Amino acid sequence: MTPHAAWSLLDRPRASLYRLGAPWLGPLCADRTRRVFWLALLTIASSLALTCVAPLWLLALGPLLLGVPHLLADARYLVVRPGLHRRRVLWLCVPPLVAMGFSAPPWVGLLALVPPVFAAHGSTARRALVLALVVALVGLAVRFETPFLFAFVHAHNVIAVALWWSLKPRGASGLGLLGLVALATLGLLCGVADPIVTAFHGWAAPASRASFEQFVAATAPLDDGVLAGRVVLTFAFWQSLHYGAWLRLIPDDARPRAAPRPFRASWLALRADFGVGPLLLVGALAVGFAAWGLVDAGAARVGYLNVAAFHGYLELAAVALVVIEARRP
Amino acid sequence: MKRALVAALLVGSSALADIPPDDSWQCQGKAAGVECVTQAGLEGVCTSKLVPRWDYRHGLPPKTIHVELMICVAPVAGPAPRSALAGVLLAMMAMLAAFFSRRRPA
């Protein structure tokens, strides 16, 4: 069966569902702004619910199942769609990004922000400002390497949401979404979710082969054990939001056509962006990590983190370019 | 530290022993007494130690538990004998001072 035929086969039940829900969901599906708002609300609500009910499963399975597809989305919406791969100077970003996959220190990854400063079409003042920020970040990464790494682990989740936010002008409803996210974050940090996590036995999930202790060590090595636990919950929430932003919200907002498209059309668009070969490679990588996770979830997570180490710096480089060129991503 | 972070994520089988402290990754799977190199680059020996850590399994606040772990420990170069010698010298001086202070009034 060809990919076209497979996607067409999946489109049939999808079309039936749309027809079934058309009286209620029709206007929502047709209006992109409303649709994305509700999708964002659903992403926030489901992320918060999963953080409260099964935080360890969220932390353990998120990267293994959604990690590779979200890296593809990163490359698609930050590089391929804006045509950055056609600007030769920007290929200089590649060596530092690749080095991050081989455990290079964070300041090496930050060097990927330098080519955009020189390649961007923007005013000298903006270039100077961004270059000064890059130099300051490199200084911080050299002087405080470990704290920088921990801060970056959290910040890169925020960058994804910020990139989605800046794709389109957002009205009051958009601000409401941000307020909701801020409120949820504050609630998690203040311990509002603690009793819920306890009620659902969420502090331990032996079958996930992950533990809170692991994630405290990896994302929040604080002296205060209570605050460290809550920071891990916050990380789980934001990590889920960041996957939602890359896999659902950004694709929906960045698509030329306002209406949702069938699976087959989505596949054709993806194929036009990357070509079949790279897509097969990415598909194999995604299946490979998921299968590895079934055998040894801990090792698979570390393997994925090594492969994905570049993408936070890629996002920062894209932000640098966008800021200098004073445009939307 | 970065290796410790990776090691922390790598060990997934035991909830209690999955945050290796510094200098523990060098002794993973090794027996006590095996030679190793500490993070500071000193030659050491894998030694079994009780390490305190948090246990979140029962919620917040986390309990502190102690877990036996193999850690690379560098032998302390000299301070122990020196401090013993200093102690002996101090004791001798104290005895002499006491001896002379007693004799002075006489």
Side-chain angles (χ1 to χ4, degrees):
Chain A
M1 182 187 282
T2 62
H4 289 31
W7 291 120
S8 299
L9 204 69
L10 283 172
D11 274 326
R12 279 181 214 155
R14 180 181 178 275
S16 304
L17 270 176
Y18 266 115
R19 271 195 295 274
L20 203 69
W24 310 281
L25 297 174
L28 192 68
C29 289
D31 183 346
R32 173 161 34 199
T33 308
R34 281 175 69 189
R35 187 175 70 242
V36 172
F37 168 80
W38 283 103
L39 279 172
L41 198 61
L42 189 68
T43 304
I44 296 166
S46 57
S47 298
L48 190 60
L50 285 169
T51 300
C52 293
V53 173
L56 279 174
W57 284 106
L58 191 61
L59 288 164
L61 292 185
L64 293 181
L65 298 179
L66 305 177
V68 174
H70 112 282
L71 294 181
L72 186 72
D74 244 39
R76 189 182 198 189
Y77 296 104
L78 292 179
V79 180
V80 177
R81 284 292 177 86
L84 299 190
H85 57 297
R86 286 191 286 270
R87 290 159 77 167
R88 285 186 185 176
V89 182
L90 293 179
W91 279 91
L92 291 173
C93 297
V94 174
L97 294 178
V98 170
M100 295 315 294
F102 296 92
S103 300
W107 65 266
V108 174
L110 289 171
L111 293 182
L113 276 74
V114 177
V117 173
F118 295 100
H121 310 297
S123 69
T124 309
R126 277 178 179 269
R127 283 168 201 259
L129 177 72
V130 171
L131 189 62
L133 284 172
V134 171
V135 170
L137 277 177
V138 169
L140 284 173
V142 170
R143 179 71 184 82
F144 307 103
E145 184 179 324
T146 305
F148 180 89
L149 272 172
F150 284 118
F152 194 59
V153 160
H154 292 273
H156 106 279
N157 287 336
V158 181
I159 291 171
V161 175
L163 278 167
W164 164 69
W165 175 265
S166 52
L167 266 177
K168 295 246 160 99
R170 312 280 173 192
S173 58
L175 278 175
L177 288 174
L178 279 197
L180 200 62
V181 169
L183 205 64
T185 305
L186 200 66
L188 288 170
L189 287 173
C190 292
V192 175
D194 296 357
I196 308 172
V197 180
T198 305
F200 283 95
H201 308 288
W203 299 106
S208 71
R209 293 176 66 87
S211 73
F212 253 82
E213 292 80 3
Q214 280 179 324
F215 287 101
V216 162
T219 63
L222 306 169
D223 290 335
D224 184 337
V226 173
L227 184 62
R230 289 173 186 167
V231 170
V232 171
L233 287 179
T234 310
F235 178 76
F237 172 61
W238 273 92
Q239 181 178 268
S240 181
L241 286 184
H242 130 276
Y243 286 137
W246 278 118
L247 296 174
R248 193 62 261 176
L249 304 179
I250 291 175
D252 222 342
D253 258 340
R255 189 183 305 141
R257 203 179 95 168
R261 62 185 167 202
F263 293 129
R264 186 171 173 275
S266 294
W267 159 252
L268 289 175
L270 198 60
R271 201 184 64 172
D273 282 342
F274 288 102
V276 176
L279 285 178
L280 285 177
L281 195 71
V282 172
L285 205 62
V287 173
F289 275 118
W292 189 7
L294 287 175
V295 181
D296 187 343
R301 216 161 42 242
V302 174
Y304 164 75
L305 289 177
N306 274 333
V307 169
F310 75 92
H311 84 289
Y313 300 93
L314 173 68
E315 288 171 11
L316 266 189
V319 168
L321 199 72
V322 163
V323 167
I324 295 173
E325 296 186 344
R327 60 172 173 84
R328 293 191 183 278
Chain B
M1 181 67 192
K2 202 172 177 186
R3 294 184 79 164
L5 276 180
V6 170
L9 288 164
L10 261 174
V11 187
S13 55
S14 163
L16 295 182
D18 47 16
I19 311 172
D22 288 350
D23 288 327
S24 70
W25 57 268
Q26 302 95 322
C27 293
Q28 262 181 13
K30 290 183 183 170
V34 173
E35 288 184 359
C36 56
V37 179
T38 67
Q39 238 177 312
L42 300 169
E43 285 185 10
V45 174
C46 290
T47 311
S48 179
K49 280 198 165 190
L50 279 178
V51 179
R53 62 187 41 200
W54 286 324
D55 176 10
Y56 284 89
R57 285 175 301 166
H58 305 291
L60 297 180
K63 289 179 183 145
T64 304
I65 54 169
H66 288 82
V67 180
E68 198 170 356
L69 270 187
M70 208 61 85
I71 292 180
C72 186
V73 179
V76 185
R82 236 182 273 152
S83 60
L85 182 66
V88 170
L89 281 171
L90 274 171
M92 284 174 71
M93 283 168 71
M95 281 165 69
L96 281 171
F99 177 74
F100 283 112
S101 64
R102 266 191 209 162
R103 285 186 65 177
R104 215 175 290 152

